[in-house]
Amino acid sequence: MSDFKIRDVRAIITHPPGARTLTVVKVETDEPELYGLGCASFCKRPTAVAAAVDDYLNPFLTGKDPGDIEDIWQSCHMSSYWRNGPVLNNAISGVDQALWDIKGKVAEMPVYELFGGKSREAAAVYVIPQGQDRAEYEEHTRELLEQGFRHIKFGWGSGMTEHDKAFVGPTVITDKASLDSGSILEPSAVCRNIVRVFEQFRSTFGPNPEILFDVKAFMPPIQGLALAKDVEQYKPFFMEDIFTPEDNDYFRLVREQTSTPMAMGELFSNPQEVVPLIKDRLIDFLRLHISTIGGLTPARKMAALCEAFNVRTAWHGSADVSPVGHAANLMLDMNVWNFGV
């Protein structure tokens, strides 16, 4: 690796048809055709991330050894003085993932081999059924189950997708016409409908498919606690983001009153914020968005911390991650012992 130097670092903002705005960082070396790609997708602020990459990280990294991944990560992280925000972390992530990509190409190995090899032959994934109405949704769910998928995810929140509307239904809000109007929501009605959805799913598909439900952190905390208790009987694989990061202490009440598994982390940009939830065993799945915390380098360390406390990984994916980012997620999934989904 020391034979190569970084020649150029640049952000590429893309908007594939039907997808969100995704950002990829390309790190080129002075060896012709040797380059790496990394995910830096902060869909809400892509141009801010691109500016951080092009205006600051490019001149900072040009001429450095691309093999010094740890040193590059630490220097990029500390050099801005103020750190751990989603803009700068996504910029660093794009570089970090690209450097691991380069190292894998030089070694002629998949990156999980550089991490220590495989812990499994394949990684389970969750799928999100689609449908314009409940009949279509249930038909698609059956097709996915027949294909061998066993983890079915659905959820509720602002910006509901068609599958959310079809399965959760418009009655989650007091005014049917307010799905897209930003009207006031009624949390009690939302919670009752979510419980009904669990009941309908189990009665339709039986006890074996795993249910992953994304609450989107829009509930008042005490109602989130009640919801966790109410759905326990339906054995969810996990409930995601039942509280906001500001309400983390409520997880202690969940642990005291129910065994419903908890997933948390998508909204964190500073990995240190989630450490108390891990060490106190208040969550079951770490749901961090890898690019928002700075890439594979910090994600590996968080996975190792989780292993000591029997917390499994469930890195945030979905449409907020580029194909490059999904590939990076998979490298960790294949390697870490405490992989969840």
Side-chain angles (χ1 to χ4, degrees):
M1 291 293 294
S2 59
D3 293 336
F4 312 122
K5 300 298 179 186
I6 295 174
R7 185 180 67 83
D8 186 50
V9 179
R10 62 190 177 96
I12 304 168
I13 296 177
T14 70
H15 199 143
R20 296 173 183 174
T21 301
L22 305 172
T23 305
V24 173
V25 171
K26 185 175 185 179
V27 176
E28 299 179 353
T29 71
D30 55 6
E31 175 72 12
E33 302 304 316
L34 179 59
Y35 65 88
L37 300 175
C39 183
S41 295
F42 183 14
C43 300
K44 305 295 186 183
R45 301 292 186 272
T47 56
V49 174
V53 172
D54 296 341
D55 296 344
Y56 297 100
L57 294 186
N58 181 27
F60 182 70
L61 295 174
T62 299
K64 293 186 183 296
D65 183 344
D68 295 336
I69 297 176
E70 181 69 27
D71 182 64
I72 286 175
W73 192 94
Q74 296 290 349
S75 62
C76 287
H77 179 65
M78 302 295 288
S79 63
S80 65
Y81 189 63
W82 286 280
R83 46 198 180 265
N84 278 321
V87 172
L88 292 179
N89 280 2
N90 269 281
I92 294 171
S93 168
V95 171
D96 181 75
Q97 293 184 27
L99 295 180
W100 280 109
D101 187 21
I102 291 171
K103 185 164 289 222
K105 290 176 178 176
V106 172
E108 297 184 346
M109 294 180 178
V111 170
Y112 62 73
E113 293 288 3
L114 305 182
F115 291 166
K118 293 187 293 185
S119 292
R120 58 193 51 82
E121 291 301 319
V125 301
Y126 65 77
V127 287
I128 304 176
Q130 303 294 318
Q132 296 299 317
D133 54 37
R134 194 178 306 281
E136 286 187 13
Y137 180 91
E138 292 183 356
E139 180 181 359
H140 191 206
T141 300
R142 289 190 181 91
E143 292 174 359
L144 293 170
L145 294 174
E146 289 172 359
Q147 293 171 25
F149 294 105
R150 287 293 176 265
H151 297 75
I152 305 297
K153 183 181 177 184
F154 51 99
W156 170 85
S158 64
M160 293 171 67
T161 62
E162 288 303 315
H163 83 274
D164 292 324
K165 297 175 187 177
F167 201 80
V168 179
T171 56
V172 295
I173 53 178
T174 55
D175 177 9
K176 183 176 181 180
S178 65
L179 275 171
D180 302 308
S181 66
S183 299
I184 295 175
L185 305 181
E186 177 48 60
S188 298
V190 171
C191 290
R192 287 193 295 271
N193 201 64
I194 289 174
V195 175
R196 187 167 68 251
V197 165
F198 271 86
E199 180 182 14
Q200 292 170 343
F201 187 95
R202 284 296 183 220
S203 65
T204 302
F205 300 106
N208 290 326
E210 300 285 4
I211 302 176
L212 293 69
F213 195 92
D214 189 356
V215 182
K216 295 289 188 183
F218 288 117
M219 305 293 180
I222 199 65
Q223 288 183 297
L225 170 60
L227 178 63
K229 295 166 64 176
D230 289 342
V231 301
E232 180 180 358
Q233 60 185 310
Y234 303 109
K235 305 299 181 184
F237 188 73
F238 63 58
M239 297 290 283
E240 176 185 348
D241 289 351
I242 202 164
F243 305 126
T244 67
E246 294 80 14
D247 291 319
N248 279 344
D249 280 350
Y250 277 90
F251 280 108
R252 299 184 187 278
L253 298 179
V254 172
R255 273 293 186 261
E256 293 171 357
Q257 300 185 38
T258 177
S259 63
T260 298
M262 293 288 112
M264 185 67 178
E266 175 185 344
L267 295 175
F268 291 106
S269 57
N270 180 356
Q272 294 297 322
E273 294 175 301
V274 77
V275 169
L277 296 177
I278 297 169
K279 72 178 184 65
D280 293 340
R281 296 179 170 89
L282 300 180
I283 59 174
D284 303 278
F285 294 90
L286 185 67
R287 191 83 173 121
L288 291 173
H289 189 99
I290 290 179
S291 68
T292 300
I293 64 169
L296 287 169
T297 295
R300 291 181 65 211
K301 298 173 184 177
M302 293 304 298
L305 174 66
C306 285
E307 183 181 351
F309 295 94
N310 273 326
V311 174
R312 289 184 280 174
T313 63
W315 310 111
H316 181 245
S318 189
D320 297 319
V321 179
S322 71
V324 174
H326 284 293
N329 287 12
L330 183 60
M331 296 301 101
L332 282 175
D333 295 342
M334 295 299 290
N335 169 252
V336 300
W337 178 252
N338 51 317
F339 165 73
V341 68

